[in-house]
Amino acid sequence: MITAAHDYDVAVAALRTQKLPAYVEYVQSSDAHGLAGYHGTPQRIVVDVRAKKIVSESPSGDGRDRGNDSPALKHLIDPNCYRPTGERSARWNGHDAIAISVRATASSCDDLDVHTVFADASTGELLGADGSEDDDGMTVDFSVQYARFGSFVMPTSLSAHAHGHGWLFWARERAEVRYSDYRFTDTRRQATSP
């Protein structure tokens, strides 16, 4: 009998087991709408997976220290932080999907508070996840999307919608970071423009 635990294990298998090569390149673009409007220039980012750091941004960064905040170094969703509690059939971003309800296994295990993981109904492969967080008058709903790039399953976007309640009823913000044009190599190439 197929269970939510089985479907969850199939969906997150790539996140648990895939070994990325020495260098991962991708294009990152972002924008935000609301009080803090922002539209960033797409950047080609090169990550040295072994050294666990971003080694190149082209065009050069905006001066913000991103540290090691890269989907090649840190899972947007840590599959070990959740356990499945049930599942249902669903449609998610145009796909027939299995919606797997999850619960966090530790209070400070993950940056995001995921509630539902979505897997492709026919292949079981990870499509993404949704969740929300509440903090001092603000609720943030977020969604992470994944896709296969050759042998690897990587995030394609992280979007968030923050809305206030109580004394912050007026606050509304939307932001999205998109990841595209992944390249995986064992030797470093000169970064090209996005």
Side-chain angles (χ1 to χ4, degrees):
M1 179 175 173
I2 296 178
T3 64
H6 172 269
D7 288 339
Y8 180 74
D9 285 342
V10 170
V12 300
L15 298 184
R16 285 186 171 146
T17 63
Q18 69 186 5
K19 301 284 188 234
L20 296 175
Y23 294 95
V24 176
E25 298 180 36
Y26 56 92
V27 173
Q28 178 175 308
S29 55
S30 59
D31 56 60
H33 306 281
L35 291 177
Y38 172 79
H39 183 72
T41 301
Q43 293 181 291
R44 174 148 297 276
I45 295 177
V46 179
V47 177
D48 182 333
V49 175
R50 291 181 193 151
K52 299 186 183 317
K53 67 179 183 176
I54 295 171
V55 293
S56 173
E57 296 179 36
S58 177
S60 60
D62 56 12
R64 291 183 293 162
D65 180 15
R66 286 183 178 80
N68 293 331
D69 190 21
S70 164
L73 298 174
K74 177 183 174 186
H75 290 303
L76 296 180
I77 302 168
D78 184 341
N80 299 316
C81 287
Y82 299 96
R83 67 175 179 79
T85 60
E87 66 178 25
R88 61 182 166 74
S89 295
R91 291 278 299 162
W92 196 73
N93 292 338
H95 295 273
D96 287 330
I98 302 166
I100 306 164
S101 300
V102 295
R103 178 169 290 137
T105 56
S107 61
S108 61
C109 190
D110 211 352
D111 289 343
L112 302 176
D113 188 9
V114 174
H115 299 148
T116 309
V117 171
F118 295 91
D120 185 278
S122 59
T123 66
E125 190 157 277
L126 180 65
L127 295 173
D130 289 341
S132 64
E133 298 179 350
D134 287 314
D135 186 28
D136 293 334
M138 293 292 287
T139 298
V140 179
D141 299 317
F142 65 86
S143 183
V144 181
Q145 294 186 47
Y146 284 84
R148 178 165 290 282
F149 296 87
S151 303
F152 306 105
V153 174
M154 301 296 289
T156 58
S157 70
L158 170 61
S159 57
H161 175 217
H163 46 95
H165 43 85
W167 65 277
L168 286 172
F169 68 91
W170 50 271
R172 298 283 184 270
E173 299 283 334
R174 287 189 181 274
E176 183 174 30
V177 180
R178 291 170 300 283
Y179 309 99
S180 61
D181 195 21
Y182 282 96
R183 298 176 189 172
F184 305 92
T185 61
D186 281 318
T187 58
R188 185 168 176 198
R189 304 181 305 148
Q190 189 66 24
T192 56
S193 295

